[in-house]
Amino acid sequence: MKLSDITKLRWTDIRSLIRRFPVESRVGLGVGAATILAFLFSGRSGTPPGMAASEHYISTLNVKIQSRARQFIINAYRAGIDAVITSGTRGNPEQAQLYEQGRTTPGNIVTNAPPGTSWHNYGLAFDVAILVNGKPTWPDNSNPVWQKLGAIGAKLGLEHGLSFGDAPHFDYHPNLTIAQARAGKTLA
């Protein structure tokens, strides 16, 4: 579909196009017809390649962030970035293992958050990778793709980990501190 085709569309055509979108991309965040039309004219259609692989991790997240995570993958795809979620909720043992990596076990340091201090422990964070030829990759933090993804996340109310050196990380915890989460408080 080309931009010049918009003059040929009737409202019934637009409604029909909107109905083709997955429900999660139309509800929850109030995705409007203008956003959907922008996607239709972006030249990219279909399901984002990372969506199916992301769903396992999305399903582990707090329900308040799940629709945002799905919308993040869709919006990245619209922007020409094939993203995939590679981590969601983590228990303390998994967080401890990641924290020890590069410190007491072989490998690079991948987190600065000990168990209980990561938003992943409370289902309020996810990590992403960029798909290149169908394989997840993690470009250097200085790669401009992270700024683009950060802007996409910000529009969904997500905080981007690039500010503390963890470009693949996104979290959502409005008005909630780690101390409150550790004490058992959840999102309202």
Side-chain angles (χ1 to χ4, degrees):
M1 197 174 277
K2 298 178 197 150
L3 191 56
S4 61
D5 294 336
I6 197 164
T7 57
K8 299 174 190 168
L9 291 176
R10 297 170 300 167
W11 177 242
T12 54
D13 297 326
I14 295 170
R15 275 197 340 229
S16 172
L17 290 169
I18 290 170
R19 285 190 180 121
R20 287 191 215 165
F21 271 70
V23 171
E24 65 269 8
S25 69
R26 291 187 276 136
V27 299
L29 295 175
V31 176
T35 303
I36 293 170
L37 283 174
F39 174 62
L40 291 171
F41 288 102
S42 72
R44 296 194 97 190
S45 61
T47 302
M51 187 61 84
S54 298
E55 195 56 44
H56 165 73
Y57 298 105
I58 292 171
S59 70
T60 70
L61 297 171
N62 179 297
V63 70
K64 300 280 185 176
I65 191 176
Q66 287 182 4
S67 63
R68 293 170 194 278
R70 287 184 186 100
Q71 195 63 49
F72 177 87
I73 296 297
I74 292 167
N75 291 357
Y77 180 65
R78 282 188 200 131
I81 302 167
D82 294 336
V84 62
I85 295 177
T86 58
S87 182
T89 302
R90 293 186 200 132
N92 283 334
E94 182 181 1
Q95 189 67 31
Q97 184 180 19
L98 290 173
Y99 183 73
E100 292 305 319
Q101 185 176 317
R103 292 178 175 87
T104 61
T105 63
N108 295 324
I109 291 176
V110 293
T111 183
N112 290 316
T117 65
S118 170
W119 290 112
H120 287 280
N121 297 140
Y122 308 100
L124 298 172
F126 60 89
D127 293 337
V128 301
I130 311 306
L131 291 174
V132 176
N133 298 322
K135 305 253 187 250
T137 63
W138 291 268
D140 184 81
N141 282 356
S142 64
N143 191 303
V145 72
W146 296 120
Q147 278 89 20
K148 291 177 186 175
L149 289 174
I152 289 166
K155 288 180 182 176
L156 296 169
L158 300 171
E159 291 189 31
H160 188 202
L162 187 59
S163 64
F164 52 86
D166 190 0
H169 178 93
F170 290 86
D171 56 58
Y172 179 75
H173 51 89
N175 303 314
L176 186 68
T177 66
I178 282 286
Q180 291 170 323
R182 287 181 83 163
K185 186 174 180 184
T186 60
L187 293 180

mmCIF file of all heavy atoms in Angstrom, residues 103-143:
data_model
loop_
_atom_site.group_PDB
_atom_site.id
_atom_site.type_symbol
_atom_site.label_atom_id
_atom_site.label_comp_id
_atom_site.label_asym_id
_atom_site.label_seq_id
_atom_site.Cartn_x
_atom_site.Cartn_y
_atom_site.Cartn_z
ATOM 1 N N ARG A 103 32.405 -12.564 37.869
ATOM 2 C CA ARG A 103 32.936 -12.261 39.191
ATOM 3 C C ARG A 103 33.598 -13.502 39.788
ATOM 4 O O ARG A 103 34.802 -13.507 40.020
ATOM 5 C CB ARG A 103 31.824 -11.736 40.100
ATOM 6 C CG ARG A 103 31.302 -10.373 39.670
ATOM 7 C CD ARG A 103 30.153 -9.891 40.565
ATOM 8 N NE ARG A 103 29.750 -8.544 40.214
ATOM 9 C CZ ARG A 103 28.852 -8.256 39.271
ATOM 10 N NH1 ARG A 103 28.247 -9.220 38.603
ATOM 11 N NH2 ARG A 103 28.553 -6.998 39.004
ATOM 12 N N THR A 104 32.805 -14.540 40.028
ATOM 13 C CA THR A 104 33.361 -15.775 40.601
ATOM 14 C C THR A 104 33.269 -16.946 39.629
ATOM 15 O O THR A 104 33.788 -18.020 39.920
ATOM 16 C CB THR A 104 32.643 -16.144 41.913
ATOM 17 O OG1 THR A 104 31.262 -16.374 41.637
ATOM 18 C CG2 THR A 104 32.792 -15.034 42.944
ATOM 19 N N THR A 105 32.557 -16.755 38.515
ATOM 20 C CA THR A 105 32.461 -17.785 37.481
ATOM 21 C C THR A 105 32.912 -17.188 36.154
ATOM 22 O O THR A 105 32.887 -15.964 35.982
ATOM 23 C CB THR A 105 31.026 -18.348 37.359
ATOM 24 O OG1 THR A 105 30.145 -17.301 36.954
ATOM 25 C CG2 THR A 105 30.544 -18.952 38.670
ATOM 26 N N PRO A 106 33.313 -18.038 35.198
ATOM 27 C CA PRO A 106 33.803 -17.526 33.911
ATOM 28 C C PRO A 106 32.732 -16.740 33.146
ATOM 29 O O PRO A 106 31.535 -16.964 33.323
ATOM 30 C CB PRO A 106 34.174 -18.794 33.143
ATOM 31 C CG PRO A 106 34.271 -19.885 34.143
ATOM 32 C CD PRO A 106 33.382 -19.489 35.286
ATOM 33 N N GLY A 107 33.191 -15.843 32.315
ATOM 34 C CA GLY A 107 32.305 -15.066 31.444
ATOM 35 C C GLY A 107 32.382 -13.588 31.733
ATOM 36 O O GLY A 107 33.074 -13.145 32.654
ATOM 37 N N ASN A 108 31.652 -12.837 30.940
ATOM 38 C CA ASN A 108 31.588 -11.393 31.119
ATOM 39 C C ASN A 108 30.523 -11.048 32.148
ATOM 40 O O ASN A 108 29.521 -11.752 32.281
ATOM 41 C CB ASN A 108 31.234 -10.701 29.795
ATOM 42 C CG ASN A 108 32.301 -10.885 28.743
ATOM 43 O OD1 ASN A 108 33.490 -10.910 29.045
ATOM 44 N ND2 ASN A 108 31.876 -11.034 27.505
ATOM 45 N N ILE A 109 30.711 -9.937 32.840
ATOM 46 C CA ILE A 109 29.686 -9.441 33.759
ATOM 47 C C ILE A 109 28.481 -9.028 32.927
ATOM 48 O O ILE A 109 28.614 -8.282 31.953
ATOM 49 C CB ILE A 109 30.223 -8.265 34.593
ATOM 50 C CG1 ILE A 109 31.275 -8.776 35.566
ATOM 51 C CG2 ILE A 109 29.091 -7.556 35.328
ATOM 52 C CD1 ILE A 109 31.956 -7.702 36.390
ATOM 53 N N VAL A 110 27.311 -9.549 33.295
ATOM 54 C CA VAL A 110 26.095 -9.250 32.537
ATOM 55 C C VAL A 110 25.047 -8.524 33.372
ATOM 56 O O VAL A 110 24.045 -8.064 32.828
ATOM 57 C CB VAL A 110 25.478 -10.526 31.913
ATOM 58 C CG1 VAL A 110 26.394 -11.092 30.839
ATOM 59 C CG2 VAL A 110 25.150 -11.560 32.966
ATOM 60 N N THR A 111 25.254 -8.409 34.684
ATOM 61 C CA THR A 111 24.327 -7.657 35.521
ATOM 62 C C THR A 111 25.073 -7.117 36.733
ATOM 63 O O THR A 111 26.040 -7.718 37.203
ATOM 64 C CB THR A 111 23.121 -8.501 35.984
ATOM 65 O OG1 THR A 111 22.220 -7.677 36.734
ATOM 66 C CG2 THR A 111 23.537 -9.687 36.835
ATOM 67 N N ASN A 112 24.612 -5.984 37.216
ATOM 68 C CA ASN A 112 25.141 -5.406 38.447
ATOM 69 C C ASN A 112 24.153 -5.566 39.592
ATOM 70 O O ASN A 112 24.365 -5.014 40.674
ATOM 71 C CB ASN A 112 25.488 -3.935 38.239
ATOM 72 C CG ASN A 112 26.687 -3.774 37.331
ATOM 73 O OD1 ASN A 112 27.676 -4.484 37.472
ATOM 74 N ND2 ASN A 112 26.584 -2.877 36.371
ATOM 75 N N ALA A 113 23.078 -6.307 39.363
ATOM 76 C CA ALA A 113 22.017 -6.457 40.359
ATOM 77 C C ALA A 113 22.104 -7.816 41.049
ATOM 78 O O ALA A 113 21.850 -8.848 40.432
ATOM 79 C CB ALA A 113 20.658 -6.291 39.694
ATOM 80 N N PRO A 114 22.439 -7.834 42.335
ATOM 81 C CA PRO A 114 22.394 -9.096 43.076
ATOM 82 C C PRO A 114 20.943 -9.582 43.206
ATOM 83 O O PRO A 114 20.007 -8.819 42.966
ATOM 84 C CB PRO A 114 22.965 -8.733 44.451
ATOM 85 C CG PRO A 114 23.557 -7.376 44.332
ATOM 86 C CD PRO A 114 22.917 -6.726 43.154
ATOM 87 N N PRO A 115 20.749 -10.833 43.596
ATOM 88 C CA PRO A 115 19.386 -11.357 43.762
ATOM 89 C C PRO A 115 18.544 -10.454 44.667
ATOM 90 O O PRO A 115 19.024 -9.940 45.672
ATOM 91 C CB PRO A 115 19.606 -12.720 44.418
ATOM 92 C CG PRO A 115 21.002 -13.094 44.075
ATOM 93 C CD PRO A 115 21.766 -11.815 43.954
ATOM 94 N N GLY A 116 17.296 -10.255 44.267
ATOM 95 C CA GLY A 116 16.363 -9.432 45.038
ATOM 96 C C GLY A 116 16.417 -7.958 44.711
ATOM 97 O O GLY A 116 15.570 -7.191 45.158
ATOM 98 N N THR A 117 17.409 -7.534 43.916
ATOM 99 C CA THR A 117 17.536 -6.107 43.587
ATOM 100 C C THR A 117 17.296 -5.822 42.114
ATOM 101 O O THR A 117 17.519 -4.699 41.659
ATOM 102 C CB THR A 117 18.926 -5.567 43.985
ATOM 103 O OG1 THR A 117 19.920 -6.210 43.188
ATOM 104 C CG2 THR A 117 19.207 -5.802 45.464
ATOM 105 N N SER A 118 16.860 -6.822 41.374
ATOM 106 C CA SER A 118 16.589 -6.654 39.946
ATOM 107 C C SER A 118 15.080 -6.619 39.715
ATOM 108 O O SER A 118 14.330 -7.387 40.328
ATOM 109 C CB SER A 118 17.188 -7.825 39.163
ATOM 110 O OG SER A 118 16.738 -7.799 37.822
ATOM 111 N N TRP A 119 14.647 -5.751 38.824
ATOM 112 C CA TRP A 119 13.219 -5.721 38.472
ATOM 113 C C TRP A 119 12.790 -7.023 37.820
ATOM 114 O O TRP A 119 11.611 -7.364 37.839
ATOM 115 C CB TRP A 119 12.915 -4.516 37.565
ATOM 116 C CG TRP A 119 13.010 -3.227 38.318
ATOM 117 C CD1 TRP A 119 13.947 -2.244 38.162
ATOM 118 C CD2 TRP A 119 12.155 -2.788 39.375
ATOM 119 N NE1 TRP A 119 13.725 -1.236 39.052
ATOM 120 C CE2 TRP A 119 12.622 -1.539 39.806
ATOM 121 C CE3 TRP A 119 11.038 -3.331 39.997
ATOM 122 C CZ2 TRP A 119 12.013 -0.814 40.835
ATOM 123 C CZ3 TRP A 119 10.428 -2.614 41.017
ATOM 124 C CH2 TRP A 119 10.915 -1.380 41.426
ATOM 125 N N HIS A 120 13.735 -7.785 37.282
ATOM 126 C CA HIS A 120 13.414 -9.107 36.728
ATOM 127 C C HIS A 120 12.846 -10.021 37.817
ATOM 128 O O HIS A 120 11.979 -10.848 37.545
ATOM 129 C CB HIS A 120 14.662 -9.770 36.134
ATOM 130 C CG HIS A 120 15.125 -9.187 34.850
ATOM 131 N ND1 HIS A 120 14.543 -9.487 33.637
ATOM 132 C CD2 HIS A 120 16.134 -8.318 34.582
ATOM 133 C CE1 HIS A 120 15.176 -8.836 32.674
ATOM 134 N NE2 HIS A 120 16.144 -8.119 33.221
ATOM 135 N N ASN A 121 13.334 -9.879 39.051
ATOM 136 C CA ASN A 121 12.884 -10.730 40.150
ATOM 137 C C ASN A 121 11.408 -10.529 40.476
ATOM 138 O O ASN A 121 10.806 -11.369 41.143
ATOM 139 C CB ASN A 121 13.704 -10.483 41.420
ATOM 140 C CG ASN A 121 15.164 -10.839 41.260
ATOM 141 O OD1 ASN A 121 16.028 -10.117 41.751
ATOM 142 N ND2 ASN A 121 15.478 -11.940 40.601
ATOM 143 N N TYR A 122 10.828 -9.432 40.038
ATOM 144 C CA TYR A 122 9.438 -9.099 40.350
ATOM 145 C C TYR A 122 8.547 -9.083 39.109
ATOM 146 O O TYR A 122 7.418 -8.605 39.161
ATOM 147 C CB TYR A 122 9.403 -7.748 41.084
ATOM 148 C CG TYR A 122 10.349 -7.784 42.260
ATOM 149 C CD1 TYR A 122 11.616 -7.205 42.175
ATOM 150 C CD2 TYR A 122 10.022 -8.487 43.415
ATOM 151 C CE1 TYR A 122 12.513 -7.301 43.218
ATOM 152 C CE2 TYR A 122 10.907 -8.591 44.472
ATOM 153 C CZ TYR A 122 12.154 -7.996 44.367
ATOM 154 O OH TYR A 122 13.041 -8.117 45.398
ATOM 155 N N GLY A 123 9.065 -9.603 37.998
ATOM 156 C CA GLY A 123 8.276 -9.677 36.767
ATOM 157 C C GLY A 123 8.037 -8.341 36.112
ATOM 158 O O GLY A 123 7.090 -8.186 35.342
ATOM 159 N N LEU A 124 8.888 -7.366 36.394
ATOM 160 C CA LEU A 124 8.684 -6.014 35.879
ATOM 161 C C LEU A 124 9.786 -5.553 34.926
ATOM 162 O O LEU A 124 9.942 -4.362 34.673
ATOM 163 C CB LEU A 124 8.564 -5.026 37.058
ATOM 164 C CG LEU A 124 7.383 -5.296 37.991
ATOM 165 C CD1 LEU A 124 7.452 -4.394 39.219
ATOM 166 C CD2 LEU A 124 6.057 -5.109 37.252
ATOM 167 N N ALA A 125 10.538 -6.526 34.386
ATOM 168 C CA ALA A 125 11.609 -6.179 33.444
ATOM 169 C C ALA A 125 11.771 -7.280 32.410
ATOM 170 O O ALA A 125 11.465 -8.446 32.668
ATOM 171 C CB ALA A 125 12.925 -5.975 34.187
ATOM 172 N N PHE A 126 12.245 -6.862 31.247
ATOM 173 C CA PHE A 126 12.601 -7.824 30.203
ATOM 174 C C PHE A 126 13.842 -7.332 29.483
ATOM 175 O O PHE A 126 14.165 -6.147 29.505
ATOM 176 C CB PHE A 126 11.440 -8.072 29.224
ATOM 177 C CG PHE A 126 10.940 -6.854 28.485
ATOM 178 C CD1 PHE A 126 11.498 -6.458 27.271
ATOM 179 C CD2 PHE A 126 9.876 -6.108 28.975
ATOM 180 C CE1 PHE A 126 11.029 -5.358 26.573
ATOM 181 C CE2 PHE A 126 9.387 -5.007 28.288
ATOM 182 C CZ PHE A 126 9.962 -4.626 27.079
ATOM 183 N N ASP A 127 14.550 -8.275 28.889
ATOM 184 C CA ASP A 127 15.738 -7.969 28.084
ATOM 185 C C ASP A 127 15.440 -8.330 26.639
ATOM 186 O O ASP A 127 14.670 -9.261 26.372
ATOM 187 C CB ASP A 127 16.950 -8.778 28.556
ATOM 188 C CG ASP A 127 17.424 -8.377 29.944
ATOM 189 O OD1 ASP A 127 17.150 -7.242 30.372
ATOM 190 O OD2 ASP A 127 18.072 -9.216 30.603
ATOM 191 N N VAL A 128 16.049 -7.583 25.725
ATOM 192 C CA VAL A 128 15.829 -7.828 24.303
ATOM 193 C C VAL A 128 17.156 -8.047 23.583
ATOM 194 O O VAL A 128 18.216 -7.676 24.076
ATOM 195 C CB VAL A 128 15.060 -6.666 23.622
ATOM 196 C CG1 VAL A 128 13.715 -6.444 24.264
ATOM 197 C CG2 VAL A 128 15.869 -5.381 23.627
ATOM 198 N N ALA A 129 17.047 -8.654 22.429
ATOM 199 C CA ALA A 129 18.164 -8.795 21.499
ATOM 200 C C ALA A 129 17.656 -8.366 20.130
ATOM 201 O O ALA A 129 16.441 -8.264 19.901
ATOM 202 C CB ALA A 129 18.653 -10.242 21.455
ATOM 203 N N ILE A 130 18.573 -8.138 19.227
ATOM 204 C CA ILE A 130 18.246 -7.780 17.849
ATOM 205 C C ILE A 130 18.435 -9.037 17.007
ATOM 206 O O ILE A 130 19.472 -9.698 17.100
ATOM 207 C CB ILE A 130 19.180 -6.665 17.320
ATOM 208 C CG1 ILE A 130 19.281 -5.499 18.313
ATOM 209 C CG2 ILE A 130 18.739 -6.200 15.939
ATOM 210 C CD1 ILE A 130 17.968 -4.908 18.737
ATOM 211 N N LEU A 131 17.433 -9.365 16.207
ATOM 212 C CA LEU A 131 17.545 -10.526 15.328
ATOM 213 C C LEU A 131 18.307 -10.142 14.058
ATOM 214 O O LEU A 131 17.949 -9.183 13.373
ATOM 215 C CB LEU A 131 16.163 -11.055 14.950
ATOM 216 C CG LEU A 131 15.367 -11.714 16.073
ATOM 217 C CD1 LEU A 131 13.956 -12.070 15.590
ATOM 218 C CD2 LEU A 131 16.077 -12.957 16.580
ATOM 219 N N VAL A 132 19.341 -10.894 13.777
ATOM 220 C CA VAL A 132 20.113 -10.739 12.540
ATOM 221 C C VAL A 132 20.157 -12.118 11.896
ATOM 222 O O VAL A 132 20.666 -13.063 12.499
ATOM 223 C CB VAL A 132 21.537 -10.207 12.808
ATOM 224 C CG1 VAL A 132 22.336 -10.147 11.518
ATOM 225 C CG2 VAL A 132 21.479 -8.846 13.487
ATOM 226 N N ASN A 133 19.564 -12.215 10.714
ATOM 227 C CA ASN A 133 19.440 -13.509 10.032
ATOM 228 C C ASN A 133 18.784 -14.557 10.936
ATOM 229 O O ASN A 133 19.191 -15.715 10.972
ATOM 230 C CB ASN A 133 20.799 -14.006 9.537
ATOM 231 C CG ASN A 133 21.412 -13.075 8.517
ATOM 232 O OD1 ASN A 133 20.703 -12.520 7.671
ATOM 233 N ND2 ASN A 133 22.711 -12.881 8.589
ATOM 234 N N GLY A 134 17.789 -14.101 11.719
ATOM 235 C CA GLY A 134 17.028 -15.002 12.580
ATOM 236 C C GLY A 134 17.700 -15.373 13.886
ATOM 237 O O GLY A 134 17.140 -16.121 14.684
ATOM 238 N N LYS A 135 18.891 -14.845 14.149
ATOM 239 C CA LYS A 135 19.628 -15.179 15.371
ATOM 240 C C LYS A 135 19.705 -13.945 16.282
ATOM 241 O O LYS A 135 19.968 -12.836 15.807
ATOM 242 C CB LYS A 135 21.047 -15.624 15.031
ATOM 243 C CG LYS A 135 21.111 -16.768 14.046
ATOM 244 C CD LYS A 135 21.515 -18.031 14.728
ATOM 245 C CE LYS A 135 21.756 -19.131 13.709
ATOM 246 N NZ LYS A 135 20.811 -20.154 13.699
ATOM 247 N N PRO A 136 19.523 -14.137 17.601
ATOM 248 C CA PRO A 136 19.629 -12.992 18.514
ATOM 249 C C PRO A 136 21.073 -12.501 18.622
ATOM 250 O O PRO A 136 22.013 -13.298 18.707
ATOM 251 C CB PRO A 136 19.151 -13.549 19.853
ATOM 252 C CG PRO A 136 19.152 -15.024 19.728
ATOM 253 C CD PRO A 136 19.157 -15.370 18.274
ATOM 254 N N THR A 137 21.230 -11.188 18.570
ATOM 255 C CA THR A 137 22.534 -10.554 18.731
ATOM 256 C C THR A 137 22.393 -9.395 19.713
ATOM 257 O O THR A 137 21.296 -8.841 19.873
ATOM 258 C CB THR A 137 23.086 -10.015 17.391
ATOM 259 O OG1 THR A 137 22.202 -8.999 16.905
ATOM 260 C CG2 THR A 137 23.216 -11.104 16.345
ATOM 261 N N TRP A 138 23.494 -9.041 20.353
ATOM 262 C CA TRP A 138 23.496 -7.942 21.306
ATOM 263 C C TRP A 138 24.581 -6.963 20.892
ATOM 264 O O TRP A 138 25.732 -7.093 21.317
ATOM 265 C CB TRP A 138 23.746 -8.468 22.723
ATOM 266 C CG TRP A 138 22.602 -9.272 23.234
ATOM 267 C CD1 TRP A 138 21.540 -8.816 23.967
ATOM 268 C CD2 TRP A 138 22.364 -10.675 23.054
ATOM 269 N NE1 TRP A 138 20.670 -9.849 24.239
ATOM 270 C CE2 TRP A 138 21.155 -11.009 23.693
ATOM 271 C CE3 TRP A 138 23.065 -11.696 22.398
ATOM 272 C CZ2 TRP A 138 20.631 -12.289 23.695
ATOM 273 C CZ3 TRP A 138 22.551 -12.971 22.395
ATOM 274 C CH2 TRP A 138 21.345 -13.258 23.050
ATOM 275 N N PRO A 139 24.229 -5.982 20.064
ATOM 276 C CA PRO A 139 25.232 -4.994 19.653
ATOM 277 C C PRO A 139 25.793 -4.247 20.865
ATOM 278 O O PRO A 139 25.169 -4.179 21.923
ATOM 279 C CB PRO A 139 24.453 -4.034 18.750
ATOM 280 C CG PRO A 139 23.240 -4.793 18.326
ATOM 281 C CD PRO A 139 22.934 -5.739 19.456
ATOM 282 N N ASP A 140 26.956 -3.664 20.690
ATOM 283 C CA ASP A 140 27.588 -2.840 21.712
ATOM 284 C C ASP A 140 26.618 -1.733 22.157
ATOM 285 O O ASP A 140 25.816 -1.243 21.361
ATOM 286 C CB ASP A 140 28.865 -2.229 21.104
ATOM 287 C CG ASP A 140 29.647 -1.447 22.111
ATOM 288 O OD1 ASP A 140 30.382 -2.070 22.896
ATOM 289 O OD2 ASP A 140 29.505 -0.211 22.117
ATOM 290 N N ASN A 141 26.724 -1.319 23.423
ATOM 291 C CA ASN A 141 25.841 -0.277 23.956
ATOM 292 C C ASN A 141 25.876 1.021 23.149
ATOM 293 O O ASN A 141 24.926 1.800 23.195
ATOM 294 C CB ASN A 141 26.191 0.044 25.412
ATOM 295 C CG ASN A 141 25.654 -0.985 26.388
ATOM 296 O OD1 ASN A 141 24.948 -1.915 26.013
ATOM 297 N ND2 ASN A 141 25.996 -0.812 27.648
ATOM 298 N N SER A 142 26.946 1.264 22.412
ATOM 299 C CA SER A 142 27.059 2.505 21.642
ATOM 300 C C SER A 142 26.324 2.435 20.298
ATOM 301 O O SER A 142 26.201 3.447 19.612
ATOM 302 C CB SER A 142 28.531 2.851 21.407
ATOM 303 O OG SER A 142 29.140 1.842 20.610
ATOM 304 N N ASN A 143 25.825 1.268 19.926
ATOM 305 C CA ASN A 143 25.113 1.122 18.656
ATOM 306 C C ASN A 143 23.835 1.958 18.672
ATOM 307 O O ASN A 143 23.052 1.884 19.628
ATOM 308 C CB ASN A 143 24.788 -0.356 18.421
ATOM 309 C CG ASN A 143 24.290 -0.630 17.020
ATOM 310 O OD1 ASN A 143 23.306 -0.032 16.582
ATOM 311 N ND2 ASN A 143 24.944 -1.536 16.331
#
